[in-house]
Amino acid sequence: MTQSDSGVSAAIGAPLVVLDHVDKWFGDLHVLQDIDLSVARGEVVVVIGPSGSGKSTLCRTINRLETIDKGTITLDGQPLPQEGKELARLRAEVGMVFQSFNLFAHKTILENVTLGPIKVRGQKKAEAEKRGLELLDRVGIAHQAAKYPAQLSGGQQQRVAIARALAMEPKVMLFDEPTSALDPEMIKEVLDVMVDLARQGMTMVVVTHEMGFARTAADRVVFMADGAIVEEGTPEEFFTNPSSDRAKDFLGKILKH
Amino acid sequence: MEPVIDNLDLYWSGFLTSLEFIVYSLVGSMLLGTLIAAFRVSPIPALRGFGSTYVTMIRNCPLTIVLFFMAFGLPELGINYSYFTFGIVGLVIYTSAFVCEALRSGINAVPAGQAEAARAIGLTFSQSMREIVLPQAFRSAVPPLGSVQIAMFKNSAVAGAFGIGGDLYSVGRTLTSARGFEYIPVLTGVAIGYLVITLSAGAALAVIERKVAIAR
């Protein structure tokens, strides 16, 4: 049982990520519709919803891998800058874990984890490697440090990707469907790492279809459909007593099996 | 094959001159081509525009015209270097457009997620190109880059015809027109000289391709 089971815990602080009236279109498709979302320091927000509801796009706007057409996004009080050095600096503060892992294919596991600290933070190689190995140990991959990504299983690659993001000591971690490309038996090893992170107080935005994870680790569940936030609440409220028909319909479909 | 055997020293020095010319052009065209390719995928519209204009102009212009500009156009503007240098510059400019496009095919083959992950950890555009995208792009662009460079090796004979002096092509011309030897044996010797260069390049490419292959 985690402390966050009781919903929004007392440890949660001031807003860290704030989306204010955010709109985005892909051509005619209104993928994000007037999104207001505030994520507090230490809070774990799980975004769920049907495919094409815009939840991945929402996640990717927070470190500006997707641009927005209207509204503002602030991180720790700072609006997201335009493309350039300043944006790069800001992205270093935001960890991102992708559905398809995206480990650097031509670099070893350890190099994947140390590249950011060395190139972006200017750390010494030895120092970065020491910290990198600690992080790899934390996600259970330290003995594979000299291998290349393709030699690891999907679950192992995703744990390395988490370690790579953590190496930058981010203020917030974004997870874009981190287990959707994994075999069922590998999902648990990744979720375990994520639950640990949540317990240690990391601020997290997690887009996922793993309802078990949402129940265990989320402080708040945000339900999206057709580009809009339909409802949000504690996992307890949301899973036992959803208020909107859209959410009832969605939960009816996915919780049946 | 008497004319060849009797003039082996001349052939040898011609071979070395051609090889030197080719090595300079190879290094120059790879560097310039890589820079132009980076321009073509850069987030800055002005650089992208410059890159695509450069490629369109140079790639669609016959090599001889580029070389004429070097050999006769630039001296008119008061820029004077040896034909050897002009030849290299002309060939580098011409070949770099093809290097750029071969490399761009390699860049396009790098999954978009690689660059996204690079940006997500805070690398700038140039860092992500240098550390992540280009090293992988080069690997998948080895075969087309090889073809471009082998074509350049042979184009060095065209530059030779402009009189870079002392290269394999010039040896053939000297032996046939100045010393009156027969064409067939003399040119066979020249062809063998070029074949030694191009065939070993082909073999080297096969080795490089095996060495740099990355598993996905």
Side-chain angles (χ1 to χ4, degrees), chain B residues 176-211:
Chain B
T176 48
S177 53
R179 299 199 196 167
F181 289 116
E182 285 171 1
Y183 274 94
I184 290 178
V186 168
L187 289 183
T188 306
V190 171
I192 290 171
Y194 279 110
L195 281 174
V196 167
I197 298 176
T198 49
L199 291 179
S200 13
L205 268 173
V207 173
I208 293 171
E209 207 175 321
R210 261 201 311 278
K211 278 240 159 112

Side-chain angles (χ1 to χ4, degrees), chain A residues 237-257:
Chain A
E237 278 165 20
F238 178 76
F239 287 110
T240 52
N241 190 20
S243 58
S244 65
D245 289 342
R246 192 70 186 82
K248 279 177 197 161
D249 179 55
F250 177 75
L251 288 173
K253 277 175 190 154
I254 58 157
L255 296 179
K256 209 164 256 174
H257 295 286

